[in-house]
Amino acid sequence: MSNRTLIIGAGGVGNVVAFKCAMNVDIFGEIILASRTVSKCNVIAENIQKKTGIEIKTAQVDANFVDKLVKLFYEVKPHIVINVALPYQDLTIMDACTQYGVNYLDTANYEHPDSAKFEYKEQWARDKAFKEAGIMGLLGSGFDPGVTNVFCAYAQKHYFDEIHTIDILDCNAGDHGYPFATNFNPEINLREVSANGRYWENGKWIETKPMEIKQVWAYPEVGERDSYLLYHEEMESLIKHIKGLRRIRFFMTFSESYLTHMRCLENVGMLGIKEVEHKGQKIIPMEFLSTLLPDPASLGERTKGKTNIGIYAQGIKDGKDKTVYIYQVSDHEKCYDEVMSQAVSYTTGVPAMIGAKLILEGVWSDKGVFNMEEFDPDPFMEELNKQGLPWQIIEK
Ligand code: NDP
């Protein structure tokens, strides 16, 4: 029996997931791309048809409503639902999956629209409902979270008796030529980078001011870059699952120009997420800013340069100190040539497709809600090499 795959969300990441599922059509079978604005799905479907010859279907859905989602599920009868809409829709889509009884996957953890705080609590709380429905939920199957979790599990499985410290290193050295733009959804991106930083050491979280801690890291194939400590969601699950961990931090690169724009926007209140009144109309400054900024999907064509994302782990093997750096380099222009998206969407969409593929094949299989590092990393690492995200290891 052929599978049916439902993808929700037709942004930069949804485009890559739809392309890559079409390129693995023998596994994904009938592919349906649904989103709030169906015209965006239709453009992607046309591009896929032109570039791969594969036809996918499209549908309209507002994923903020469980009943609308369940109705769509009864029409489509999916074997898996890939959620690449926004983190605000995670809970409604998960609840629709338990009501209908279909496996679920996403790339970003739930974030409440009214508070810039993202955490797994509410998604983990659905574990029982998923078990009772006999379905699997795979959380955070993008690059970070996602591949970074798998890199940690791979390091733990093959290179360490105990990992003591992990630094997750995310470098985007791409240049899109605009003075200021974000590489994925502007609202989600700006909320993430303007929040306080946080890292975990000796059993507790330590909070920092936004961008307070800076280090210079040398990224293979890119060079040295200023990297800033941020809170990032995969740390919340990794501290539960990596043996002997004493510290975990997350660093992301930003250029001086990006930071100057950010500071300026923040100082004038444009990053606010509370409603303000403007000439009798209520607007949310961050939402308005998102409308003004270039659509991330439009950056693909103009972005040049590379990304390098990886994990730097230190610990003990056979009583000796050990260091392992696992990383993946992607080239924006090559990604665009393949699937008409820049590398940030590509590096998120490919792992989403791989996670879904492993679920459909029964290679990763269980009942309940899981993070990526809870499964055997080896088949995922193999797929990365085959599906366009080859990785490297440096060990000392
Ligand atoms: P975009 O903003 O480009 O796309 C989001 C899509 O979701 C749009 O098509 C939008 O529709 C749709 N959408 C929004 N609200 C709804 C709704 N209520 N019902 C149905 N569809 C809706 O975002 P990206 O593609 O850049 O990002 C997608 C996801 O990937 C996000 O959750 C992001 O956080 C995550 N991500 C994860 C990364 C990782 O490494 N783990 C890295 C980068 C992103 P419309 O066009 O109508 O607005």
Side-chain angles (χ1 to χ4, degrees):
M1 188 190 64
S2 170
N3 284 319
R4 278 181 303 277
T5 301
L6 176 61
I7 304 163
I8 303 179
V13 178
N15 173 67
V16 177
V17 176
F19 256 99
K20 294 302 272 196
C21 288
M23 289 157 90
N24 288 271
V25 72
D26 50 326
I27 303 295
F28 290 97
E30 190 172 297
I31 299 159
I32 303 95
L33 175 62
S35 195
R36 187 168 51 188
T37 313
V38 73
S39 57
K40 290 197 186 168
C41 304
N42 294 339
V43 170
I44 294 173
E46 264 172 48
N47 288 336
I48 291 175
Q49 218 285 328
K50 273 191 221 138
K51 246 180 133 66
T52 69
I54 304 289
E55 290 215 9
I56 70 162
K57 293 190 173 153
T58 60
Q60 196 281 332
V61 72
D62 187 340
N64 286 326
F65 301 97
V66 176
D67 55 339
K68 292 184 179 167
L69 287 161
V70 173
K71 185 168 172 280
L72 176 69
F73 293 0
Y74 274 100
E75 283 160 23
V76 167
K77 299 183 181 59
H79 296 88
I80 186 148
V81 172
I82 304 176
N83 167 18
V84 280
L86 296 180
Y88 315 129
Q89 283 86 46
D90 286 2
L91 301 183
T92 45
I93 300 179
M94 288 179 86
D95 291 346
C97 286
T98 46
Q99 270 193 37
Y100 176 80
V102 57
N103 295 322
Y104 167 89
L105 175 149
D106 67 31
T107 64
N109 71 2
Y110 176 64
E111 192 172 337
H112 196 278
D114 303 329
S115 68
K117 187 174 181 198
F118 43 105
E119 57 186 2
Y120 281 118
K121 192 171 73 189
E122 281 149 294
Q123 290 183 279
W124 284 341
R126 279 157 169 80
D127 182 56
K128 188 162 170 274
F130 268 61
K131 284 195 168 73
E132 282 167 6
I135 57 171
M136 171 170 162
L138 185 60
L139 306 183
S141 189
F143 207 102
D144 46 341
V147 176
T148 49
N149 303 57
V150 174
F151 283 174
C152 291
Y154 189 77
Q156 175 164 274
K157 180 173 174 185
H158 296 288
Y159 291 93
F160 290 97
D161 295 325
E162 258 183 27
I163 299 183
H164 294 158
T165 65
I166 296 174
D167 286 314
I168 300 168
L169 305 174
D170 179 332
C171 167
N172 178 7
D175 181 7
H176 42 60
Y178 285 116
F180 186 73
T182 62
N183 289 293
F184 62 97
N185 183 275
E187 209 183 311
I188 304 295
N189 183 219
L190 293 170
R191 279 166 69 133
E192 178 177 277
V193 301
S194 58
N196 278 346
R198 213 175 349 146
Y199 65 99
W200 186 86
E201 190 164 38
N202 298 325
K204 42 180 206 290
W205 290 103
I206 295 156
E207 193 149 297
T208 67
K209 296 258 173 297
M211 310 292 167
E212 186 185 330
I213 298 183
K214 174 175 117 174
Q215 287 194 358
V216 177
W217 286 89
Y219 297 88
E221 297 187 46
V222 171
E224 289 192 346
R225 285 287 188 282
D226 290 347
S227 310
Y228 295 84
L229 187 143
L230 298 184
Y231 176 67
H232 223 244
E233 62 203 60
E234 61 265 54
M235 294 193 285
E236 191 187 358
S237 67
L238 287 167
I239 61 173
K240 283 178 44 169
H241 299 127
I242 299 297
K243 278 184 266 168
L245 196 61
R246 295 173 190 171
R247 189 188 70 201
I248 182 163
R249 305 181 298 185
F250 181 97
F251 288 90
M252 193 178 267
T253 59
F254 296 101
S255 67
E256 252 325 299
S257 160
Y258 182 98
L259 292 180
T260 307
H261 277 84
M262 277 276 301
R263 276 185 214 113
C264 176
L265 291 166
E266 184 152 39
N267 288 342
V268 298
M270 282 303 288
L271 301 186
I273 58 170
K274 297 255 170 340
E275 269 184 356
V276 295
E277 191 150 321
H278 173 70
K279 296 191 173 176
Q281 281 209 323
K282 300 227 184 290
I283 57 163
I284 296 174
M286 177 79 95
E287 274 183 20
F288 177 62
L289 174 62
S290 245
T291 308
L292 296 179
L293 289 174
D295 177 359
S298 72
L299 300 178
E301 235 173 326
R302 27 187 311 147
T303 307
K304 297 181 171 32
K306 289 180 178 175
T307 60
N308 178 331
I309 315 175
I311 64 129
Y312 188 88
Q314 293 183 297
I316 298 280
K317 179 73 177 172
D318 300 328
K320 291 198 192 100
D321 288 345
K322 176 124 197 133
T323 300
V324 166
Y325 180 30
I326 314 179
Y327 64 90
Q328 198 284 324
V329 175
S330 284
D331 181 296
H332 285 285
E333 287 172 282
K334 278 195 194 142
C335 296
Y336 191 80
D337 283 348
E338 187 187 328
V339 299
M340 305 173 79
S341 272
Q342 35 80 3
V344 175
S345 303
Y346 188 90
T347 55
T348 309
V350 174
M353 179 278 290
I354 294 175
K357 180 170 186 280
L358 296 182
I359 295 174
L360 286 174
E361 291 171 335
V363 177
W364 279 10
S365 165
D366 212 331
K367 309 277 175 263
V369 169
F370 301 92
N371 293 94
M372 305 287 284
E373 67 276 15
E374 293 179 78
F375 290 97
D376 180 5
D378 294 357
F380 201 101
M381 294 292 275
E382 267 172 46
E383 285 288 337
L384 286 171
N385 281 332
K386 287 187 208 152
Q387 303 282 355
L389 295 176
W391 43 272
Q392 312 288 330
I393 285 197
I394 300 172
E395 54 171 320
K396 278 188 257 164

